[in-house]
Amino acid sequence: WPQDVGIIAMEVYFPAQFVDQAELEDFDGVSKGKYTIGLGQTRMGFCSDCEDINSLCLTALTQLMEKTGIDYTSIGRLEVGTETLVDKSKSVKSFLMTAFAASGNSDVEGVDSTNACYGGTAALFNAVNWVESSAWDGRYAVVVAGDIAVYASGAARPTSGAGAIAMLVGPNAPLVLDRGVRSSHMNHSYDFYKPVMSSEYPIVDGKLSIRCYFAALDSCYKTYLSKARKHLDEEVKSLADFKAVLFHTPYCKLVQKSFARLAYNDFRCLSPEAAAALHPSLTAFRDLPLEDTYFNRDIEQAFMASSEEAFLTQTKPSLLLATEVGNMYTPSLYGALASFLAGYSADPDSLVGSRLCLFSYGSGLASTMYSIVIKSGLAQQRLGADVRLPSSNGQAGWSLSQLVSSLSDLQQRLASRQKVPPQIYSDIMKLRESTHHLAPYKPVGCTSSLLPGTWYLTYIDDLHRRQYERVP
Ligand code: CAA
């Protein structure tokens, strides 16, 4: 069986324009600090009407292929995770096959996975499962997670965002998914859902969604630790055993609270004596039913304070894309992974042997906690750091240093985006709203801000067939 199956290379795409969250606070007339401190958001990426889910995913896919130099004939599976549906039947994956046309390769398994922000993780698991299965034919898999996250104007709108991330999956990977420890919590809930096909916007019960997120986190963590005891060689019994803890990030403040929540879960596992020594005033909270503790301010504040230092090193560096672009939905967790890796571009090899914990959450609800172990990658071990992926077999991989250095320009790419005033952002949202699912339709959004290599929508004909072009 193929060994060390996981993520070999990544490509991140986010919109070329953003709105500033502090300016948005003024524009929306909310109290100063509500979005920037209360939610922990700095900037928010958004798309005009000339970008849609197909163009976003196509940009991420083609740029991944160009960056790695891999041939389209070397891909045997393509998976898409998205909740941004422009069609109830035709998958985004089927559209992405346009990129394969010139290669003549149509032998590519996989379609779309949809369940709110969880679809990217479902797609990744499908890809990994395929490589580890009897159906594997020796080629690579590609996963594309993409979404345009938009909310009706109101409390949820500052938690919008957009983006797409493409990942190359195969054996001998630098980011290896641990086997036997994936731990899920799946349940029915109407916390966030999109029943109205004529609108891009979800129906959201904000407080319920936070409750569901915390419940899923608690449940996944408990199951993960018990599976880790059985299936991992190394001891993994608390937060301290991970180099980093990465979360699906609807907004950054929730992630800091979630990190503190995991610290609270660890506290509950301590002996009464150890718990009393750590938080003498909180021992009474140790045995409360977990569901009674989600909005308990005493617990939240105590554990946010006591876990702050660990949060700053284990999680904060992974929030770069989340605070700068916003909630990308399905790519959000993988944006955290890319942000974390980008922080190690000066010394990627220091990561070798580290274990990362990842928590994926999609409303409705589906959630999984799993872990990744970082290895140097076969290419570097055997073939030297400069080796490119071979074009026709699935046996080699990109090295860790190639993966990390390919992400090292994230900060600079974020800094070079165009800032747009809130009024224009609001007008563009109104335009998207009034033209959603309109056909025929010619987008009027400005394409001059799009970077070279970006795909964009040029026309929707009267049969809702979409046409695209690429910025040269
Ligand atoms: N300065 C500093 N902080 C301020 C402030 C100010 N001037 N004004 C308010 N705040 C604080 C509040 O005290 C609050 O802090 P706590 O969370 O610690 O209580 C925080 O800012 C947010 O304020 P509100 O609770 O008043 O915010 P709201 O009710 O208006 O909306 C929200 C917040 C519910 C998250 C809303 O943005 C929303 O519905 N977002 C979409 C749903 C979502 O993201 N849910 C998260 C889990 S679901 C999920 O993960 C799936 C997904 O991707 C959607």
Side-chain angles (χ1 to χ4, degrees):
W1 296 114
Q3 288 303 306
D4 290 346
V5 178
I7 301 167
I8 295 170
M10 298 177 85
E11 174 66 18
V12 179
Y13 175 72
F14 45 79
Q17 70 272 355
F18 70 88
V19 64
D20 183 271
Q21 291 277 12
E23 291 180 11
L24 205 55
E25 285 167 354
D26 290 340
F27 182 78
D28 288 348
V30 300
S31 59
K32 197 104 210 96
K34 178 165 181 186
Y35 303 162
T36 47
I37 300 166
L39 299 176
Q41 296 303 112
T42 310
R43 301 190 178 91
M44 189 166 74
F46 66 96
C47 297
S48 77
D49 64 338
C50 71
E51 289 188 275
D52 68 3
I53 187 58
N54 290 342
S55 72
L56 249 58
C57 291
L58 189 59
T59 301
L61 170 68
T62 50
Q63 292 190 344
L64 176 81
M65 299 301 280
E66 288 157 9
K67 173 161 104 172
T68 54
I70 195 168
D71 196 281
Y72 281 92
T73 55
S74 304
I75 306 299
R77 191 169 186 110
L78 174 62
E79 290 277 339
V80 173
T82 186
E83 58 167 295
T84 307
L85 303 188
V86 290
D87 195 299
K88 283 181 280 180
S89 170
K90 182 173 162 52
S91 60
V92 173
K93 148 57 189 304
S94 64
F95 169 76
L96 294 183
M97 288 307 296
T98 54
F100 287 72
S103 72
N105 177 20
S106 63
D107 179 21
V108 185
E109 278 188 11
V111 285
D112 293 1
S113 294
T114 299
N115 190 99
C117 309
Y118 187 79
T121 296
L124 175 65
F125 290 172
N126 287 345
V128 168
N129 294 350
W130 176 68
V131 176
E132 291 182 341
S133 78
S134 61
W136 188 51
D137 65 4
R139 292 183 293 164
Y140 294 102
V142 171
V143 174
V144 186
D147 275 304
I148 295 176
V150 282
Y151 293 91
S153 62
R157 182 162 274 186
T159 61
S160 302
I165 293 187
M167 296 177 273
L168 186 68
V169 170
N172 309 313
L175 306 180
V176 181
L177 272 73
D178 273 325
R179 293 181 179 181
V181 293
R182 278 160 26 183
S183 298
S184 296
H185 175 79
M186 306 272 172
N187 217 338
H188 161 65
S189 155
Y190 281 125
D191 57 328
F192 165 114
Y193 52 110
K194 293 181 178 168
V196 185
M197 296 301 161
S198 58
S199 168
E200 270 199 299
Y201 301 142
I203 296 175
V204 198
D205 182 336
K207 287 285 176 277
L208 177 62
S209 74
I210 295 166
R211 171 178 286 274
C212 290
Y213 184 105
F214 286 152
L217 182 69
D218 289 345
S219 171
C220 287
Y221 188 49
K222 187 172 174 205
T223 314
Y224 174 89
L225 290 180
S226 99
K227 288 190 184 179
R229 269 195 295 277
K230 287 188 210 127
H231 297 288
L232 295 182
D233 294 336
E234 300 84 9
E235 191 174 63
V236 177
K237 57 178 185 2
S238 75
L239 272 181
D241 295 313
F242 298 106
K243 175 80 176 173
V245 187
L246 314 178
F247 297 84
H248 164 63
T249 307
Y251 55 95
C252 296
K253 195 57 167 290
L254 186 70
V255 166
Q256 185 167 5
K257 290 184 181 202
S258 298
F259 189 92
R261 202 149 176 94
L262 294 182
Y264 173 58
N265 273 269
D266 284 348
F267 172 75
R268 292 171 64 103
C269 295
L270 295 174
S271 66
E273 299 74 31
L278 191 64
H279 285 296
S281 60
L282 293 176
T283 45
F285 295 126
R286 204 169 145 269
D287 301 318
L288 284 178
L290 271 174
E291 59 272 20
D292 293 347
T293 61
Y294 301 134
F295 298 107
N296 183 311
R297 288 286 183 195
D298 293 332
I299 295 176
E300 184 180 289
Q301 278 165 14
F303 285 92
M304 276 179 80
S306 66
S307 65
E308 188 174 9
E309 208 181 311
F311 166 76
L312 292 177
T313 52
Q314 288 174 275
T315 297
K316 181 89 190 297
S318 69
L319 298 180
L320 173 68
L321 277 161
T323 190
E324 286 280 338
V325 179
N327 188 357
M328 298 192 285
Y329 287 168
T330 51
S332 169
L333 177 61
Y334 302 96
L337 179 59
S339 300
F340 166 76
L341 292 172
Y344 281 85
S345 47
D347 187 14
D349 289 335
S350 67
L351 287 171
V352 172
S354 308
R355 175 167 277 115
L356 315 178
C357 173
L358 295 92
F359 174 64
S360 179
Y361 177 82
S363 292
L365 66 83
S367 62
T368 299
M369 184 172 281
Y370 66 102
S371 49
I372 279 177
V373 165
I374 302 188
K375 305 213 170 173
S376 53
L378 181 79
Q380 193 193 32
Q381 282 167 15
R382 297 210 186 143
L383 303 170
D386 288 326
V387 76
R388 303 284 292 175
L389 282 173
S391 59
S392 59
N393 78 62
Q395 298 308 312
W398 244 22
S399 67
L400 173 64
S401 52
Q402 281 169 295
L403 164 60
V404 173
S405 73
S406 79
L407 297 166
S408 62
D409 61 353
L410 268 188
Q411 288 264 21
Q412 175 237 316
R413 285 174 55 204
L414 287 163
S416 65
R417 291 174 301 165
Q418 202 172 79
K419 185 165 90 161
V420 170
Q423 184 59 60
I424 295 187
Y425 161 72
S426 171
D427 293 346
I428 291 173
M429 288 298 104
K430 281 200 188 99
L431 175 72
R432 288 191 69 93
E433 206 173 295
S434 61
T435 59
H436 183 63
H437 277 194
L438 208 62
Y441 180 63
K442 188 166 172 41
V444 297
C446 173
T447 54
S448 63
S449 61
L450 298 178
L451 297 175
T454 306
W455 288 90
Y456 60 95
L457 177 68
T458 53
Y459 189 58
I460 305 174
D461 75 13
D462 54 355
L463 290 177
H464 292 263
R465 294 173 300 195
R466 290 168 182 246
Q467 296 165 17
Y468 300 85
E469 278 178 26
R470 193 177 195 193
V471 181

